[in-house]
Amino acid sequence: MKILLIEDEKELAESIVHYLNGSDYRCEVAFDFNSASEKIALYQYDCVLLDISLPGGNGLALLRELKGKNKKEGVIIISAKNSLDDKIEGLEIGADDYLPKPFHLAELGARIKALIRRNNFDGSNILPIGDLILDIENKSVKVFDQKVELTKSEFELLMFLISNKNKVISKDAIGEHLSGDDADRFSDFDFICSRIKNLKKKLAESGSSDYIKTVYGLGYKFEI
Amino acid sequence: MRLLNRTILSYLIYSVLVFLIVTPIFYSVISRIFIKEVDETLLLKKNEIQFRTQRIKSEDDLRVWENLDEDIRIEPLTGGLIYDSIYYTSRYDSLSKEIEPYRVLSTVIEIENKSYHLTIFISLLESKDLVRVLSITQAVVLFVLLVGLLFINWRLSKTIWKPFYHTLDELKKFDVEKTGQLRLGEAKVREFKDLNEALKLLSERSYRAFINQKEFTENAAHEMQTPLAVFKSKLELLMQTNPTEEQAKLMESLNESTSRLARLNRALLLLSKIDNRQFIEAESVDVTKLTEKIVDQNQHELAAKGLTIQVDRKSDLIVKFNATLIEVMLSNLISNALRYSTEKGLVKIEIADLQWGISNHGSPLSFPSEKIFERFQKGNTQVSSTGLGLAIVKKIVDTNGSTIHYQYKEQLHSFHVRF
C-alpha cells in the first residue's frame, strides 16, 4: 500500500512515516506544494495525507487537482487549522476524512486502515486476522465459526487495536477514539481497563489466542 | 437627580429667595422715599404759608383762610414753646367718611408780630396706594422675569444636553464584543465634542485591545498545535521501542500531560472561535434527542464511576440554536456533572418548556459560586479538567442570548439553562 504524506513540518512527517512504514505501508513524503503536485501527477497512491497550509500553496488546491484528475486516492486532511470551514470545504471537494492536529498516530493509523478498506474491498467487509474473522459491516466477530457477542464499543475497541496491530497504543488514544474528542469531555480513561478486560475475557472464552497484551500501565497492543 | 433638574432647582431656590427678600425691601425703600418727599413738601408749604401770611391783615382773614384750606390749622400760641416736628396721625375725612393716615408738620409762625401754632396736614392715602401699586408692579415684573429665565434655562439645557444624553445612551449600549466601536453623533458644543472625541478614542483603544487579545489567543493556540502534534507523535514512536516498566511509567505520565495540553488547546481555540462568531447559523435542534445522544456517548464514564443518569422529560424542547454549539454546551454540562458527582450518585437532567437543567450531588465548591463560569476555575480535586468547560458553556449561552443559573443547595449542584 502506498501512501503520500504532504506535510511541511519535517519532524511530524518523520514521525508519521516512521510509524506507518512499520505497518503494511510504504510512505512517501512531499514537504511543499510543488513537489506534492508533481508526485500526484506522476504516481498512483492508495491514500494521501494532506496538510492544508503548505509552503507554495493551499492544500485544498491540491485536493482539487487530485479530484479533477479523477484519481481514486482516498484523502485524509490533517490540519492544524482545525477550522470548521476548512473541514467543510475539504469534505465538499472530496476529502474522505478530516483529522485535526494534534492527533494520535494510532488514530491516524485507524483512519487510514478504514479508508483503504473502504476503497479497496468493494462490498467485501470481512477481515480475517489470526483466529478472528471480523465482519465490519455488521460489527460482529467470529472465532472458529462461532459468533462472539461483543458490544458496539467492544467491537470498536477491537477494530482500533487491530488497525494498529503490533503497536503499543496509549489509553488516551483509545479513550479519545471511543468517546470522540469534544473540547472538554469527561476524560478519565480508567474505564478502558475494564473494557479491555471484558474483551479479552470474551475472546478467551471463545477459544481465541490471547492477542491483546498490556504494556505496563502505558497502553495495549494487539500482537500477531 | 438629573443634571437639568439640579440646575433648575438651584435657580428656582435662588429666584424665590430674591423674590421674597427684594419685594419687602423695595416696598420699604419706596415708602421711605415717598415720606421724605412728603416731608419736603410740608416744609415747602410752611415757607409758602409764611410768605403768604404777609398779606393777612387781621385775625378774621386768618380764620377765612383756615376754613378754606382743610389741611392747615393756625391757632394762637398758648402755653410753652413748640418745636418744629413732623409726625404721623389719623384724621376723620368728612368726604370719604373714613379715618385716613396723614403726615403732619407742627411749627410756629409769626403773623403781624404775633406767634401762632401752625399745623400742616398731607394725606398719605394716595401715597400708600402708589407705593402698593409700584411694589406690585415691581413684584410682577420680577416674577415674570424669573419665570422667563427659568423657562429659557430649562429649554436651553434640554437642547444643550441633548448630545450628552445621546452619548450616554450610546455608551450604555456599548459592548466591545458585540457592537465593536462606539458610534457617536456630531456635537456642536465644544465640551461635548471633546467628550465624544475622548470616548471614541477610548472605545477604539479597547476595541483594538479586544481584537489583539482575541487574535493572540487564536494565534497562540494555532501555533501550539504543530509542536504539540510533533511531541505527541514522537512520544507514540517512543512507546513502540519496548520500554522498561520504569520508562513506560514516565511515558504514561507524559502522555497524560500531552493529552491535557491538547485538550486545553482545543478548548482555547473553541473559545476564540465562538468569540469570532464562527458559529452563527442557527437551526431547529431537538434538545431531548441531543441530550439522549450525549448521555449515550458518556456510557463508558457512567459505568466506570457507577453513576446513573435520569432524564426527566416534562415536555418536548426544540430550540433555534447553532447545532455545534448546543452540542458542546450540553456535552460540557453533562461532563461537568459526571466529573463532580459523588461515586455511584444520581445525575438528574430535567427537560421542560424552554428549560434544560442538570443536577448532581457533590461536595461544595472550593471557590465563590459567582466565579463558577470563569476560566480556569476548577474544583481542586480534578486535575484532568481543563477548567474551561463551564467558561465555554457561559460563552455559548451568552452568544445565543439565553441565560444560565447555578445553585448549590443541600449538597446538590444544579445548572439551569433558559432558552
Side-chain angles (χ1 to χ4, degrees):
Chain A
M1 299 275 173
K2 268 174 77 183
I3 292 175
L4 175 62
L5 169 64
I6 307 169
E7 164 68 64
D8 63 322
E9 181 62 39
K10 291 209 167 58
E11 286 294 326
L12 185 60
E14 204 178 88
S15 301
I16 295 173
V17 170
H18 193 107
Y19 190 83
L20 293 179
N21 277 347
S23 319
D24 317 325
Y25 308 113
R26 243 183 50 240
C27 195
E28 283 178 29
V29 194
F31 292 114
D32 57 41
F33 186 90
N34 293 332
S35 59
S37 181
E38 214 178 286
K39 282 200 155 85
I40 288 170
L42 289 175
Y43 309 108
Q44 179 80 36
Y45 298 93
D46 295 289
C47 178
V48 177
L49 306 175
L50 179 63
D51 190 7
I52 298 285
S53 41
L54 289 169
N58 189 304
L60 290 176
L62 279 177
L63 182 57
R64 278 194 200 92
E65 219 169 282
L66 257 170
K67 293 293 146 184
K69 281 179 184 142
N70 236 341
K71 293 212 167 191
K72 290 250 171 1
E73 281 96 340
V75 179
I76 299 175
I77 295 175
I78 44 171
S79 173
K81 282 181 93 181
N82 192 17
S83 102
L84 210 63
D85 294 341
D86 273 356
K87 181 174 177 177
I88 292 168
E89 202 184 342
L91 294 180
E92 261 173 15
I93 295 172
D96 298 274
D97 209 344
Y98 182 95
L99 192 57
K101 287 181 199 168
F103 47 76
H104 289 284
L105 290 176
E107 183 65 36
L108 181 67
R111 303 264 186 126
I112 294 172
K113 266 268 154 62
L115 178 60
I116 289 178
R117 205 178 291 127
R118 277 205 301 273
N119 283 355
N120 290 6
F121 303 92
D122 303 294
S124 160
N125 279 310
I126 306 299
L127 174 70
I129 185 158
D131 301 339
L132 314 171
I133 296 167
L134 281 79
D135 182 341
I136 294 149
E137 179 101 45
N138 299 319
K139 298 192 188 303
S140 67
V141 181
K142 277 183 182 167
V143 179
F144 307 127
D145 256 0
Q146 200 70 36
K147 202 175 169 203
V148 186
E149 289 299 331
L150 294 185
T151 63
K152 204 177 128 212
S153 75
E154 280 164 352
F155 182 82
E156 268 173 39
L157 174 59
L158 184 62
M159 267 310 285
F160 190 61
L161 290 171
I162 290 171
S163 298
N164 291 284
K165 61 175 190 259
N166 294 324
K167 294 252 156 57
V168 180
I169 306 169
S170 68
K171 274 189 287 185
D172 270 21
I174 297 172
E176 274 176 34
H177 179 78
L178 290 184
S179 44
D181 57 353
D182 287 349
D184 195 35
R185 285 299 291 270
F186 174 78
S187 26
D188 207 348
F189 293 135
D190 291 343
F191 72 89
I192 289 160
C193 263
S194 55
R195 199 57 47 92
I196 292 267
K197 224 183 273 168
N198 281 344
L199 181 61
K200 277 169 72 122
K201 203 173 126 203
K202 280 185 183 173
L203 290 178
E205 277 169 1
S206 72
S208 151
S209 326
D210 188 13
Y211 298 112
I212 302 169
K213 302 274 184 299
T214 307
V215 187
Y216 309 115
L218 184 58
Y220 304 93
K221 190 187 208 173
F222 190 91
E223 221 169 40
I224 192 157
Chain B
M1 185 185 261
R2 291 180 67 168
L3 195 64
L4 186 65
N5 297 346
R6 174 108 212 197
T7 47
I8 286 183
L9 189 73
S10 309
Y11 282 129
L12 197 70
I13 291 170
Y14 175 71
S15 306
V16 168
L17 274 177
V18 166
F19 186 76
L20 289 179
I21 294 168
V22 163
T23 306
I25 290 175
F26 183 79
Y27 178 81
S28 79
V29 166
I30 292 282
S31 305
R32 243 169 240 242
I33 290 170
F34 203 86
I35 293 297
K36 214 177 141 203
E37 212 55 38
V38 168
D39 292 354
E40 273 168 23
T41 313
L42 282 170
L43 291 171
L44 221 70
K45 211 159 180 181
K46 177 197 158 191
N47 292 340
E48 195 189 321
I49 289 167
Q50 187 93 62
F51 176 74
R52 289 219 184 128
T53 48
Q54 285 168 9
R55 278 181 277 172
I56 287 178
K57 302 289 180 238
S58 69
E59 189 88 8
D60 286 340
D61 285 351
L62 205 62
R63 285 282 86 79
V64 171
W65 186 23
E66 199 196 23
N67 277 336
L68 285 175
D69 194 343
E70 273 225 318
D71 289 345
I72 291 168
R73 214 184 299 151
I74 303 169
E75 290 159 332
L77 195 65
T78 54
L81 276 166
I82 285 177
Y83 300 100
D84 280 11
S85 61
I86 296 176
Y87 54 90
Y88 292 100
T89 189
S90 300
R91 222 171 54 159
Y92 182 77
D93 186 274
S94 50
L95 276 174
S96 66
K97 289 176 177 147
E98 267 177 12
I99 295 172
E100 285 176 358
Y102 280 85
R103 189 75 173 160
V104 184
L105 171 68
S106 145
T107 186
V108 175
I109 54 166
E110 298 284 319
I111 307 170
E112 307 257 284
N113 298 322
K114 208 171 154 199
S115 290
Y116 286 88
H117 178 201
L118 171 69
T119 330
I120 309 170
F121 296 86
I122 287 183
S123 170
L124 287 177
L125 193 66
E126 281 151 37
S127 74
K128 273 255 157 78
D129 284 348
L130 196 66
V131 168
R132 199 175 298 131
V133 168
L134 267 175
S135 297
I136 288 169
T137 312
Q138 182 263 350
V140 167
V141 167
L142 203 63
F143 184 74
V144 168
L145 198 71
L146 291 178
V147 167
L149 274 176
L150 278 179
F151 180 70
I152 289 170
N153 185 62
W154 178 72
R155 279 293 300 270
L156 215 59
S157 301
K158 262 204 133 157
T159 44
I160 285 176
W161 287 102
K162 211 174 169 180
F164 175 79
Y165 287 119
H166 176 74
T167 302
L168 200 64
D169 277 349
E170 286 298 312
L171 268 183
K172 273 183 199 157
K173 277 187 270 170
F174 178 63
D175 179 349
V176 80
E177 283 186 40
K178 286 186 189 129
T179 50
Q181 291 182 39
L182 205 54
R183 275 179 291 278
L184 298 172
E186 274 297 306
K188 287 197 185 86
V189 182
R190 221 189 102 192
E191 280 80 356
F192 292 144
K193 220 181 214 168
D194 287 353
L195 178 73
N196 283 359
E197 295 281 294
L199 284 175
K200 264 183 206 163
L201 219 68
L202 190 73
S203 86
E204 264 168 39
R205 232 175 288 153
S206 61
Y207 183 68
R208 267 206 303 276
F210 170 67
I211 293 290
N212 274 344
Q213 179 229 322
K214 222 166 70 170
E215 283 177 356
F216 177 78
T217 318
E218 203 182 352
N219 291 343
H222 270 317
E223 291 306 312
M224 251 154 37
Q225 273 177 329
T226 308
L228 245 175
V230 172
F231 188 91
K232 219 170 170 174
S233 66
K234 297 288 174 199
L235 193 57
E236 259 181 291
L237 288 181
L238 194 61
M239 274 163 50
Q240 315 304 330
T241 55
N242 287 325
T244 64
E245 190 172 351
E246 198 188 349
Q247 287 166 338
K249 267 184 189 154
L250 290 174
M251 284 176 207
E252 196 198 356
S253 73
L254 277 178
N255 228 334
E256 271 170 20
S257 299
T258 334
S259 290
R260 231 182 100 207
L261 203 57
R263 273 203 306 279
L264 198 63
N265 205 37
R266 259 202 307 264
L268 279 174
L269 263 177
L270 181 65
L271 264 177
S272 64
K273 270 188 202 159
I274 299 170
D275 268 343
N276 290 339
R277 330 227 127 226
Q278 284 183 20
F279 306 96
I280 36 167
E281 279 165 54
E283 52 191 273
S284 289
V285 180
D286 186 336
V287 180
T288 319
K289 252 191 198 159
L290 185 60
T291 306
E292 277 159 4
K293 183 183 141 196
I294 297 168
V295 168
D296 196 46
Q297 281 171 355
N298 278 286
Q299 288 304 335
H300 309 302
E301 290 89 344
L302 280 172
K305 222 174 163 183
L307 300 172
T308 326
I309 284 199
Q310 181 188 321
V311 180
D312 190 0
R313 186 173 141 186
K314 292 210 172 101
S315 71
D316 281 336
L317 179 53
I318 291 166
V319 293
K320 274 249 171 234
F321 221 106
N322 179 282
T324 312
L325 290 188
I326 194 167
E327 187 165 351
V328 172
M329 177 176 92
L330 298 184
S331 174
N332 280 5
L333 282 171
I334 292 173
S335 296
N336 184 73
L338 299 185
R339 177 175 295 136
Y340 293 104
S341 170
T342 43
E343 293 265 329
K344 297 193 171 52
L346 173 67
V347 174
K348 255 191 197 165
I349 297 174
E350 243 183 59
I351 302 170
D353 191 31
L354 291 182
Q355 269 199 79
W356 190 96
I358 188 164
S359 61
N360 67 282
H361 284 281
S363 40
L365 298 177
S366 54
F367 48 84
S369 66
E370 60 270 19
K371 284 192 169 172
I372 196 158
F373 294 113
E374 281 181 19
R375 293 176 188 190
F376 304 116
Q377 192 68 255
K378 48 184 174 181
N380 40 17
T381 49
Q382 285 291 335
V383 276
S384 68
S385 149
T386 58
L388 286 170
L390 290 178
I392 290 172
V393 167
K394 184 79 170 83
K395 188 131 257 168
I396 292 173
V397 163
D398 287 348
T399 311
N400 184 260
S402 309
T403 52
I404 185 162
H405 292 286
Y406 163 78
Q407 75 167 8
Y408 183 72
K409 220 168 145 187
E410 287 157 10
Q411 279 154 14
L412 199 67
H413 297 275
S414 54
F415 291 89
H416 282 274
V417 182
R418 189 173 276 275
F419 293 98

